[in-house]
Amino acid sequence: TAPGSDGAGVVEAVAEGVKKAKVGDRVYTAKTITGAYAQYALALEEQVHMLPSKISFSQGAGVWVPYGTAYHALIHSAKARASETVLVHGASGGVGSAGVQMARAMGLTVLGTAGTQRGLDLVKREGAHQVFDHNKAGYQEEILQATGGRGVDVILEMLANVNLAHDLKLLAVRGRVIVIGNRGEATINARELMGRRGSIRAFTLWGITPAEEADIHAGLIAGLENGTLRPVVGKELPLAEAARAHKEILEPGAAGKIVLVT
């Protein structure tokens, strides 16, 4: 099998008894049997979902993991509500930009960080009320000042090993840090949580339940249809350059998704 879970394209053939999709349908995949890094991929009926006409195939190839992750983080894990404030830490990447769009549409005040001017511009364009350069000394203090010293209710954290200890100091009372990404160990002071009655929550997308997954797709398709959710494609590369894409995705300065095109 080839790597890759997220893809988009046109249905070429369906097995007998398949009701959800027909030949010629535009679809996106959330996992496949044979892998998405291919001209043709075999998928189960429940892995295939309708792609609204206003969403391109390149955008559709960046739906499931980033938007599914952002939805699960905001809705299921954080139980975020309109009028709350969210900090998206690393907001210019795939999950981050999805989280910004979603939180803005839900009525939250959205603060986002990025590490380059291009990234900051993207985050602002996708709906953040205020943006902060996380490479700048003292940016956490700027975030706190932007909330009038109150702190933020929800943090979507893409790099917990670097940011988690600082995140706890930015939380409002009953604030929640949702750990989405991590590349090593983190040392925290639990007292920062105690006074705030705060919590750190975490998940993996492959650990969600079928009911949660059904919930996520219903929400994502509605958002894609009404234009609330607009996957950001930062770069398109030919399938033959998959190795280059894997290298570039680990480099700092994210700006949307890297998509392989066949």
Side-chain angles (χ1 to χ4, degrees):
T1 60
S5 71
D6 292 16
V10 175
V11 176
E12 286 284 326
V14 296
E16 204 174 318
V18 170
K19 296 184 175 68
K20 190 171 172 183
K22 63 184 187 301
V23 173
D25 281 350
R26 301 173 86 254
V27 297
Y28 73 89
T29 63
K31 303 182 285 285
T32 71
I33 296 171
T34 54
Y37 284 26
Q39 287 174 297
Y40 297 92
L42 188 63
L44 298 172
E45 186 173 13
E46 63 265 25
Q47 295 172 332
V48 172
H49 305 272
M50 292 302 137
L51 187 68
S53 58
K54 66 174 71 173
I55 304 296
S56 71
F57 290 130
S58 288
Q59 289 178 302
V63 170
W64 171 239
V65 170
Y67 282 84
T69 298
Y71 189 102
H72 189 68
L74 279 168
I75 310 288
H76 294 145
S77 189
K79 294 182 168 52
R81 300 183 304 279
S83 85
E84 288 194 310
T85 298
V86 62
L87 168 63
V88 183
H89 223 155
S92 63
V95 178
S97 55
V100 167
Q101 292 172 1
M102 216 170 279
R104 180 66 189 248
M106 289 166 63
L108 281 87
T109 298
V110 183
L111 312 179
T113 79
T116 65
Q117 190 56 51
R118 180 182 175 216
L120 291 165
D121 291 345
L122 184 154
V123 176
K124 191 83 173 169
R125 188 172 69 241
E126 295 308 321
H129 292 89
Q130 285 182 261
V131 295
F132 305 87
D133 181 348
H134 55 217
N135 290 326
K136 186 178 160 191
Y139 80 94
Q140 293 102 336
E141 189 54 44
E142 289 181 14
I143 291 170
L144 210 49
Q145 285 173 2
T147 68
R150 178 183 168 274
V152 298
D153 300 293
V154 177
I155 299 178
L156 301 190
E157 183 50 69
M158 313 303 164
L159 197 58
N161 53 301
V162 171
N163 298 319
L164 191 56
H166 293 297
D167 287 344
L168 303 189
K169 297 175 183 177
L170 296 177
L171 286 180
V173 174
R174 293 189 176 81
R176 299 82 84 194
V177 180
I178 314 300
V179 175
I180 291 170
N182 183 65
R183 293 184 191 169
E185 294 190 0
T187 301
I188 65 162
N189 180 355
R191 190 161 288 283
E192 300 288 358
L193 287 171
M194 293 161 67
R196 295 173 172 84
R197 301 189 182 190
S199 58
I200 301 168
R201 305 174 188 179
F203 65 92
T204 58
L205 193 60
W206 51 90
I208 63 174
T209 66
E212 286 170 334
E213 186 164 350
D215 195 18
I216 292 169
H217 286 295
L220 298 191
I221 291 169
L224 293 168
E225 281 177 346
N226 68 23
T228 295
L229 305 182
R230 309 164 300 280
V232 178
V233 177
K235 187 178 291 184
E236 294 183 2
L237 294 173
L239 181 59
E241 294 192 37
R244 179 180 149 205
H246 279 248
K247 181 172 166 288
E248 290 188 8
I249 206 163
L250 292 172
E251 295 171 358
K257 288 285 287 181
I258 298 174
V259 175
L260 297 176
V261 181
T262 62

